[in-house]
Every structure is written in structure tokens, then in C-alpha cells.
Amino acid sequence: MTARSPAKLKPRKMPIQARSQATIEAIFEATIQVLLQGGARALTTNRIAEKAGVSIGTLYQYFPGKEALLYALVGRHLDKAGEAVERACRVHGGMSLADCADLFVDAYIDAKAGDVAVSRALYHASTELDMQDLGAAMLARLHQAVRGLLEHAHGGQPETLDTIVFSWVAVVTGGTRVLFEQDGTIERLPAFRAQLKLMSRAYLDILGTSDMRTDHTRNGECYLAKT
Amino acid sequence: MTARSPAKLKPRKMPIQARSQATIEAIFEATIQVLLQGGARALTTNRIAEKAGVSIGTLYQYFPGKEALLYALVGRHLDKAGEAVERACRVHGGMSLADCADLFVDAYIDAKAGDVAVSRALYHASTELDMQDLGAAMLARLHQAVRGLLEHAHGGQPETLDTIVFSWVAVVTGGTRVLFEQDGTIERLPAFRAQLKLMSRAYLDILGTSDMRTDHTRNGECYLAKT
Amino acid sequence: MTARSPAKLKPRKMPIQARSQATIEAIFEATIQVLLQGGARALTTNRIAEKAGVSIGTLYQYFPGKEALLYALVGRHLDKAGEAVERACRVHGGMSLADCADLFVDAYIDAKAGDVAVSRALYHASTELDMQDLGAAMLARLHQAVRGLLEHAHGGQPETLDTIVFSWVAVVTGGTRVLFEQDGTIERLPAFRAQLKLMSRAYLDILGTSDMRTDHTRNGECYLAKT
Amino acid sequence: MTARSPAKLKPRKMPIQARSQATIEAIFEATIQVLLQGGARALTTNRIAEKAGVSIGTLYQYFPGKEALLYALVGRHLDKAGEAVERACRVHGGMSLADCADLFVDAYIDAKAGDVAVSRALYHASTELDMQDLGAAMLARLHQAVRGLLEHAHGGQPETLDTIVFSWVAVVTGGTRVLFEQDGTIERLPAFRAQLKLMSRAYLDILGTSDMRTDHTRNGECYLAKT
DNA sequence: TATGAATGAGATTTCATTCAT
DNA sequence: TATGAATGAAATCTCATTCAT
């Protein structure tokens, strides 16, 4: 996690004894449980401590407040997802754009889908707080990873490439989020995943076949000749 | 507002008199102001009433509670956006798929971009409450509008079409949301808009050229031959 | 009260209805009662509210916190005492120094002795908080009053006079405080008052008979010829 | 330490080993540091232990509680000051009253002024707790010392002498305290010291020249003929 | 209808102290 | 003896909501 945490959000103490590690783990787990069962409204430090089987005081030994706890938890989850995507993106031999498309879409959705329920719960919790920076860090991370992925597959200008990567990442992450956030749409995930790949391939393809060296937009207006 | 509101969330009275209308308007406006200035944390009913220049008692004359107030406000905003998109989508003569793509992307982003700050503020506020149904209603509405848009432009199976529409809508709304939610990414909106159109056209195009009568996915697995 | 209060110490709301005044009065009264019965340790906002017969929420409508409440209460008491002393000191016709001595000592002790118990309670409570400025304001006020009292009775240099006034005020207020703070010494007050007058007269006298135009100290060392 | 300590306030064990002594010393020192840095509000046992470089458990090995720790620390400081004054007062050959006055004032202020900051810090800390008895003990001690000082210098009735001594001690200690407690008045200490001597001499002198065998007050009313 | 004083459940957080290791 | 993780009672403070005027 590269984002710098304001003082209020930094964990309080580095556990020395092994017991501490278990306690922190229990608190994290309990937080997720509470979130899953009662939603963001039910997420109180007392409930977390109770569910974790520790006293409220113990919770505050490790985190200066609820926000810090959530910050750490969300950060950890995002880190995991970010790492997974990065790992996947590093294995880029001579891949076609279509393969790149599939690779990123699969890597991202798999990272999120690992535990759909937890992802959903954390999505909701994180908007409660000011976790802009975590989201921004994640976005930046994905951007780098995807940039590395595409750099080898085409030869566009850096600036253009950035716009493409940014847009693609936004679309993949944002689109996936819609599915996770709505009740009852998660069953559409397989179909959505396929369509997302299709869309990504089509997008990258069209960028690749046309001259990538030229920007397809002028003043933010698209002028690519319609097929 | 198409979403059914639970009893607790319905406005308390149908204001007919102009004075009432003005009061409600003031309350809505104040809510947005408070949200913009202090964020979701500062959004208290007392503060809203104060900023609106009415007493807390008056506020409760018009809304049974805080949630109802927010529900109504967010609903109104979504309604406006939904209507705008619907209106745009109704004007579909013999449009090409590419034109459809541009049409929807522009309609949606324009609807949101009308007041970026307010949209952002309400995004945040809405996650505080349980407004799943508002989001779902919006999604359904957009789905219908986009479905109507595409039905004329191609002749696929209804089921396949639904998947396409769902995915496209998710990607456009979700992707746009990423821009709105992050600090400092809104300046990328013009470029993003162009890329989103490009992507949408490419997506719809590839679906149109291949046989839309067959589903490109089987068991959620994409099998479209890679170009 | 001339001292500027930091934001955290300012009362929260100016009561509009008459009911409010009564509530505030009740809270002040309850604060004193709790202080008298349980000491500074027992002084909690909940206890105060309970004793005042109002809810804890009501207390916080008027004061942003315990400190602010105490600040206001102590300020009010000091104000009363300060005013009493000022009033007394204004009546200075052609008084002798001895009369001046008696006047100030009596005025100050009378102001404090009005309600010994309350004074003691507030002395203790005020050290809990950071009320330096209230004490400083009181001291400054007394200084002015006493300065006015003595200016007419002698003709020393302003600077010398300030030192004298400062020392005398310190001795009278500090000495009195010792009596009030200790358990079981309050019965000595009459005798102490007499001695304090004696001492004050002797002090002012000796300053008056010697040349007030010269400073009796040099480098902080006293060089007044011993009688 | 002459004051009797309630069971709860007695140090837990008599440390004989040098290591223990060092630990206790470190705890005392840390307490003062914390007090100086963060004030009474920041004075927590955990912080003290941390600053002292020992574990919280160790702190509780040596003191049964926070109060006991402070009690011991304040007691030690008062003891030092008391001893210093006593020592000074014992050296009374055939001293004049004026010399006595100077002696006590200097002895007391010097004892306090040794470390102004520490004195101030402990002043504040001591009001947090119930340390009436320490203050009373100190007062009694000073009373004895000053009584011994004055007994040789005049031949008044014991009862009258007690009143004089009590008043003088109150005035010297209380007056000095005013300077120490207020921010920014400590620079006036040299001038104040001189004035306090002046006042003390004048006071003792006037008592000495008039018939000390008679009480100058009757029913608490002063009737000493004004010079 | 409008007002705003009052409510109080409940959330956050602290910190003196204990006790298993 | 030393350690430090754990405790939990208790304090502070908020804010949605009610209701007498």
C-alpha cells in the first residue's frame, strides 16, 4: 500500500507477542462478519469487539478508532487484489491485444470474486469513510500494471496510452462494481465477464488496427471513422 | 419515481401550497449544501434545518425522517437523469449502432455532468442509507431505454440483447462513477467520454457484424474467435 | 469577563425562550451541588445533568463540553467577585493608606466569603481545567481596581506602583486561597482577615513614609533601611 | 514524610536493591516529564511507564496505583522544600525580626524556585488527587519552623503567636503560589520577593513595636491604632 | 403550522489495573 | 521480577426525533 495514512488512520501498535497477531486477525474477521450481517449501519466498535471475542479496550490497543480499523482492513483487501492483478499482468510474453484484454478482465474479476460477499461489504463500508486515497492508490496501481501489459503489445504515444489505460481500467473496475453493489445481479457475473472481455478486445483491437500513433480524439471529440 | 418506497421513506404530505413547495425546495437545497461543505459526516437533520432557515420541527413536518429526505432527494436527482436519458433514447430514427453508442454515452454523461459536485455529494450520501432500490430502479430504467434504442438497430434474441444491454449499461454507469468519485479525475472526463464512445462503438459493432442471433458466450465462457 | 474564550470553551447557544434560562441556571446549580458533594472526581456531565433534572442532551445543547460549562460557571463567579471588589474600590474619597488596606482586604474576602463552600469547590474544579486566562483576567481586574485605589493615596512612579499592587494583590488573593483550600482552616478566617489588614497597612505605610518616588529594591534585592 | 498515608497510598515495597531504587527514580522522573510535556490530562500510568522505559506491570510492582505514585512524588518534593526551610530556620542566633522575615521568605521561595517548572507541574497534578493532607502537613511543618524562628525573637502569647505565624505562612506560600501558577508572572519573582520581604518586615515590626502580649484583634476586628 | 427545547439511546474512546506468561 | 496483552467500567458527546407551546 503506497498511500500515506493520516495519523488518525495509522494502526496503533506493532504486536510483539504472537497472541497479538491472532487478536488482530480476529478483529478483522469480526469486522467483516458484522458488516455482512448488519451492514454499515450496524458496524460499531463494540459489536466488532464482541464478535471478535475481545474487549473493546483491546480493539483500541491496536487501532486508534473505527476508521483506522476499516482503513487497514480495506487496505489489506485492496492490496491483495492489487497484487493478484499485478502478478497476472507480469506474465506478458508476446501476447495479442485480445489476450491482454482477457488477462486483465479475468485477473480483476477473479481478484474481486474470490469473496464476493466480503468485497461487497467492504465497498459499502469504505464509502462511509474518507478512503479516497486507498481507492486512488488502487487505481494507480492497476494503471501501472495495465500500462505495462499494453506497452509491449502496441506502440502508441505515452500520453495516448495513458488515456486508454485510464479509461479501460475505469470501465472494468466501475462496471464490475455495479454488479457487486446491486442485490441480485451477481448471478449475471459470468455473462458480464464474457461481455466485458468482448468489449475490451473490440476496444483494444480497434485502437490497434487504426494508427495507434495518432490520437483518436481531438479536443475530447472522437473522430475515428465509423466502420 | 418508479421504485416502490417502503412506508418509512414516503414523504409525509403532498405539498400543494406554494409555500410548502418552497420549504421543501429549501430543505433539498440545504441538504446538498451541507453535503458539499461537510460531507456525509456532517449531514445532520438539525444542520439541514438550520441551513434551510426552517426549524427542525418543520423539517419533520415534511419528511418522516432523515432517510426519507435523502431518499426523496436522491430519487429526484436520479429521476431527472433517468428522464434525460429516456428522452434522448426516444429519438431513434434509423440510427446506426455507432450513433446509438454515442447517443447513450453522451446522454448519460451529460445527465450526470450537469452538476458534478451535486452528483458526487449524492453518490456519497446514498451509500449511507439503504438505497439499493433507487439504484436498481435507475438501472432498470436505463436498461429499458437502452433496450429500446438497440432493438431497432439489430435483431438479436431478447435474452442475448438483455445481456448486452446490461453489460453496456453497467460499464457506462460504473465507469463514469469512477471518475466522479475520485478526487481530481473529473478533468479527464472529456477524454474518457471519447474513449467510452470508441469502446461502445467497437463493442456494438463487433456484436453487429458477427451473428447477433447466436450468443457469443456459452456457459459464461467467451468463445468468439479472436481476431 | 474580558478574557477571550477558545472556541471549545464558548457556550453553545443563546437561549431564546425563558425556559432555557431556567435550564442553564439549573445546570449551574447542579454543577455546584455535585462539586460540593463529590468533589472534582465526581464531576461528570451525566451526574450534572441528572442532578439538574435535565437530560444529558440538554446539557450539551448549551455547552460544548464539561470544560465550557465549568469555564462559564467559574467565569461567572469570578465576575461577581471582581465586580464587588471594583465597586468597593470606586468609593475612594480622600482615604488614608490604612483605610485603603482595609477596604481591599475586606472587599476581597467578603466577595469570596459570600459562599465559602462554593468558592472552595470552584477553586478545586478550576485547577482541573486550563483556566489560566480566567485567573489572569481576574488578577488583571483586581490589579486595575487596586491601582486606582492607591493612585490617589500616594504619588509614586507608575512602575513602582505596579510592582506594589501586583505583590499586594498576589499576597491577599493567594493567602486567602490557602484558607479556602485547606480543610478546617476556614474558622481561622476572622483572625486571618485582621492580620492581613494589619500586614497590608504596615506594608503600605512603610512604603508611604519612605520615599515612594524611589524604588525600594535594587536588582530585586531589598535595601530599605531596617527600622 | 510526616503525613500519615492511607493504606492505598503507601508505596508497595521498600526497595533496598539499587536496581529498584533506579527504577523508582526513573518512574518519578518520567512522571515529571509527562506532566511537563502534556499536563495533567496526559498523565496516564501507561505513558509514565513507557517514558520511564519500564513496563506498566513493573510500575504497579512499586506503586499500588496512580494516586500512590503521585502522592509519593509530591510528598518527596514537599519534603525537600520543607526540610530546606526547616534547615534555614534552625540557624537563628539572636536575629532581628527583619532578619527573620528575610530568612523565611528567602528560604521558602528558594525552595520553590529550585525548579519552577517541576513545582508548577506538581501543583497542578496535586489538585487532581486528594492531597489535602500533604498540603496540610507541609503547612504544619512550615508553621512549626516559623514558630521556632519567631519564638526567640519576641515574647508574645502562644495563641497570638500562632495566629501571626499562620497568617504569615499563608501569605508567603499563597502569594508565591500565585506567581508560580500563572503563565508569564514568574519573571516578576525577584521584585515580588523583595516586596514580600518588605511586607513581612513591616508586619513583624509593627507587631513587635506594639505590645505583642496583647492581641491586636478583638472578635476578629482589628483595633490597632493606625499610625 | 411552525417552533425549538428537550430527550436519551447509543456510539466512541480512555485508562487504571490485572494476570498469564 | 518483569512483561505487556487484555480488561471493562465509565466518561464524553452526538443526533434523530418528539412534543408542548
Side-chain angles (χ1 to χ4, degrees), chain C residues 40-41 67 96 98-99 102 106 120 124 127-137 139 143 160 162-164 166-179 181-183 185 188 190-203 205-207 215-217 219-227, chain D residues 40-41 67 96 98-99 102 106 120 123-124 127-133 135-137 139 143 160 162-164 166-179 181-183 185 188 190-203 205-207 215-217 219-227:
Chain C
R41 304 288 290 271
E67 307 220 338
S96 68
D99 286 336
D102 284 10
D106 277 333
R120 284 193 59 182
H124 280 286
T127 49
E128 290 272 286
L129 274 22
D130 186 27
M131 298 192 162
Q132 297 271 9
D133 54 349
L134 283 185
L139 226 48
H143 192 101
T160 308
D162 269 341
T163 295
I164 293 164
F166 175 81
S167 303
W168 190 30
V169 168
V171 148
V172 171
T173 58
T176 305
R177 178 171 183 174
V178 170
L179 289 241
E181 270 191 355
Q182 289 296 326
D183 276 326
T185 52
R188 287 170 173 275
F192 174 75
R193 181 198 291 250
Q195 296 300 317
L196 195 52
K197 284 183 189 172
L198 216 50
M199 196 181 315
S200 299
R201 283 186 212 161
Y203 174 54
D205 253 6
I206 214 169
L207 293 172
D215 193 348
H216 292 284
T217 62
N219 295 333
E221 272 311 297
C222 176
Y223 68 99
L224 185 78
K226 293 160 195 173
T227 39
Chain D
R41 302 287 288 268
E67 305 221 339
S96 69
D99 287 336
D102 284 11
D106 277 334
R120 285 193 60 180
Y123 259 141
H124 281 285
T127 51
E128 290 272 286
L129 274 20
D130 186 29
M131 296 189 163
Q132 294 273 7
D133 55 347
L139 225 49
H143 192 100
T160 306
D162 269 342
T163 295
I164 292 165
F166 175 81
S167 302
W168 189 31
V169 168
V171 148
V172 171
T173 57
T176 304
R177 178 170 180 174
V178 169
L179 288 241
E181 270 190 355
Q182 289 295 324
D183 275 328
T185 52
R188 288 170 172 274
F192 174 76
R193 182 198 292 248
Q195 297 298 318
L196 194 52
K197 285 182 187 170
L198 216 48
M199 197 182 311
S200 299
R201 286 185 209 158
Y203 174 55
D205 254 5
I206 213 170
L207 292 172
D215 194 350
H216 292 283
T217 63
N219 297 330
E221 271 312 297
C222 178
Y223 68 98
L224 185 77
K226 295 162 194 170
T227 40

Side-chain angles (χ1 to χ4, degrees), chain A residues 41 67 128 195 203 205 227, chain B residues 41 67 195 203 205 227:
Chain A
R41 306 287 288 274
E67 308 221 336
E128 291 271 284
Q195 298 298 317
Y203 175 54
D205 253 6
T227 40
Chain B
R41 303 287 288 269
E67 306 221 338
Q195 297 299 317
Y203 174 53
D205 254 5
T227 39

Side-chain angles (χ1 to χ4, degrees), chain A residues 41 67 127-128 132 166-167 171 174 177 179 181 188 194-195 198 201 203 205 217 220 222 224 227, chain B residues 41 67 99 127-128 132 166-167 170-171 174 177 179 181 188 194-195 198-199 201 203 205 217 224 227:
Chain A
R41 306 287 288 274
E67 308 221 336
T127 50
E128 291 271 284
Q132 296 271 9
F166 176 79
S167 303
V171 149
R177 178 170 180 174
L179 288 241
E181 269 190 354
R188 288 171 173 273
Q195 298 298 317
L198 217 47
R201 284 186 211 159
Y203 175 54
D205 253 6
T217 62
C222 177
L224 186 75
T227 40
Chain B
R41 303 287 288 269
E67 306 221 338
D99 287 336
T127 50
E128 289 274 286
Q132 295 272 8
F166 176 80
S167 302
V171 150
R177 179 170 182 173
L179 288 241
E181 271 191 354
R188 288 170 172 273
Q195 297 299 317
L198 215 50
M199 196 182 313
R201 283 186 213 160
Y203 174 53
D205 254 5
T217 61
L224 187 78
T227 39

Side-chain angles (χ1 to χ4, degrees), chain A residues 24 28 32 53 55 64 67 71 75 80 86 94 98 106 108 130-131 138 143 151 166 187 190 208 227:
Chain A
I24 289 183
F28 277 156
I32 291 171
S55 75
E67 308 221 336
Y71 195 90
K80 261 189 229 163
E86 282 174 347
D106 277 333
Y108 184 74
D130 187 29
M131 297 190 162
M138 178 62 169
H143 192 101
E151 263 172 351
F166 176 79
E187 58 198 20
T227 40

Side-chain angles (χ1 to χ4, degrees), chain A residues 141-160:
Chain A
R141 207 166 167 176
L142 292 181
H143 192 101
Q144 279 313 311
V146 171
R147 207 176 190 287
L149 191 66
L150 293 190
E151 263 172 351
H152 293 252
H154 89 117
Q157 294 168 318
E159 205 187 331
T160 307

Side-chain angles (χ1 to χ4, degrees), chain A residues 40-41 67 96 98-99 102 120 123-124 127-137 139 143 160 162-164 166-179 181-183 185 188 190-203 205-207 215-217 219-227, chain B residues 40-41 67 96 98-99 102 106 120 124 127-137 139 143 160 162-164 166-179 181-183 185 188 190-203 205-207 215-217 219-227:
Chain A
R41 306 287 288 274
E67 308 221 336
S96 68
D99 287 336
D102 285 10
R120 285 194 59 182
Y123 261 142
H124 280 285
T127 50
E128 291 271 284
L129 272 25
D130 187 29
M131 297 190 162
Q132 296 271 9
D133 54 348
L134 283 186
L139 226 47
H143 192 101
T160 307
D162 268 341
T163 296
I164 292 165
F166 176 79
S167 303
W168 188 31
V169 167
V171 149
V172 170
T173 57
T176 304
R177 178 170 180 174
V178 170
L179 288 241
E181 269 190 354
Q182 289 297 325
D183 275 328
T185 52
R188 288 171 173 273
F192 174 75
R193 182 199 292 246
Q195 298 298 317
L196 196 51
K197 286 182 187 171
L198 217 47
M199 197 182 311
S200 300
R201 284 186 211 159
Y203 175 54
D205 253 6
I206 214 168
L207 294 171
D215 194 347
H216 293 282
T217 62
N219 297 331
E221 272 312 297
C222 177
Y223 68 98
L224 186 75
K226 293 160 195 170
T227 40
Chain B
R41 303 287 288 269
E67 306 221 338
S96 68
D99 287 336
D102 284 11
D106 276 334
R120 284 193 61 180
H124 281 285
T127 50
E128 289 274 286
L129 274 19
D130 185 29
M131 297 190 162
Q132 295 272 8
D133 53 349
L134 283 185
L139 226 48
H143 192 99
T160 307
D162 269 343
T163 295
I164 293 165
F166 176 80
S167 302
W168 190 29
V169 168
V171 150
V172 171
T173 57
T176 305
R177 179 170 182 173
V178 169
L179 288 241
E181 271 191 354
Q182 288 296 326
D183 276 328
T185 53
R188 288 170 172 273
F192 174 74
R193 183 199 292 249
Q195 297 299 317
L196 195 52
K197 284 183 189 171
L198 215 50
M199 196 182 313
S200 300
R201 283 186 213 160
Y203 174 53
D205 254 5
I206 212 169
L207 293 173
D215 193 349
H216 293 284
T217 61
N219 296 330
E221 271 311 298
C222 177
Y223 69 98
L224 187 78
K226 294 162 194 170
T227 39

Side-chain angles (χ1 to χ4, degrees), chain D:
Chain D
M1 183 64 16
T2 52
R4 73 274 149 218
S5 323
K8 193 67 182 309
L9 298 179
K10 278 230 281 293
R12 228 163 205 174
K13 53 179 157 188
M14 268 297 126
I16 307 173
Q17 303 175 358
R19 182 156 58 122
S20 303
Q21 234 349 295
T23 301
I24 287 184
E25 216 48 55
I27 291 171
F28 278 158
E29 187 51 38
T31 304
I32 290 170
Q33 290 309 318
V34 173
L35 222 31
L36 288 177
Q37 284 169 29
R41 302 287 288 268
L43 193 71
T44 71
T45 50
N46 283 288
R47 241 189 289 267
I48 293 170
E50 191 189 13
K51 176 84 79 180
V54 301
S55 75
I56 181 63
T58 300
L59 187 153
Y60 276 88
Q61 297 268 336
Y62 290 101
F63 301 96
K66 187 186 172 186
E67 305 221 339
L69 164 56
L70 273 174
Y71 197 90
L73 178 56
V74 172
R76 219 177 58 152
H77 261 262
L78 289 184
D79 259 11
K80 261 191 227 162
E83 265 167 37
V85 172
E86 281 174 348
R87 208 177 314 115
C89 286
R90 267 196 291 275
V91 226
H92 47 243
M95 289 178 78
S96 69
L97 282 177
D99 287 336
C100 288
D102 284 11
L103 182 83
F104 175 53
V105 169
D106 277 334
Y108 185 76
I109 291 186
D110 285 344
K112 286 290 170 190
D115 196 338
V116 177
V118 173
S119 283
R120 285 193 60 180
L122 291 181
Y123 259 141
H124 281 285
S126 58
T127 51
E128 290 272 286
L129 274 20
D130 186 29
M131 296 189 163
Q132 294 273 7
D133 55 347
L134 282 184
M138 179 62 169
L139 225 49
R141 205 164 168 178
L142 292 181
H143 192 100
Q144 279 314 311
V146 172
R147 206 177 191 285
L149 190 67
L150 291 191
E151 261 172 352
H152 294 251
H154 90 117
Q157 294 168 314
E159 206 188 332
T160 306
L161 182 58
D162 269 342
T163 295
I164 292 165
V165 169
F166 175 81
S167 302
W168 189 31
V169 168
V171 148
V172 171
T173 57
T176 304
R177 178 170 180 174
V178 169
L179 288 241
F180 279 8
E181 270 190 355
Q182 289 295 324
D183 275 328
T185 52
I186 202 65
E187 58 198 18
R188 288 170 172 274
L189 187 57
F192 174 76
R193 182 198 292 248
Q195 297 298 318
L196 194 52
K197 285 182 187 170
L198 216 48
M199 197 182 311
S200 299
R201 286 185 209 158
Y203 174 55
L204 296 181
D205 254 5
I206 213 170
L207 292 172
T209 49
S210 79
D211 192 5
M212 278 292 285
R213 243 141 308 219
T214 63
D215 194 350
H216 292 283
T217 63
R218 188 188 290 148
N219 297 330
E221 271 312 297
C222 178
Y223 68 98
L224 185 77
K226 295 162 194 170
T227 40

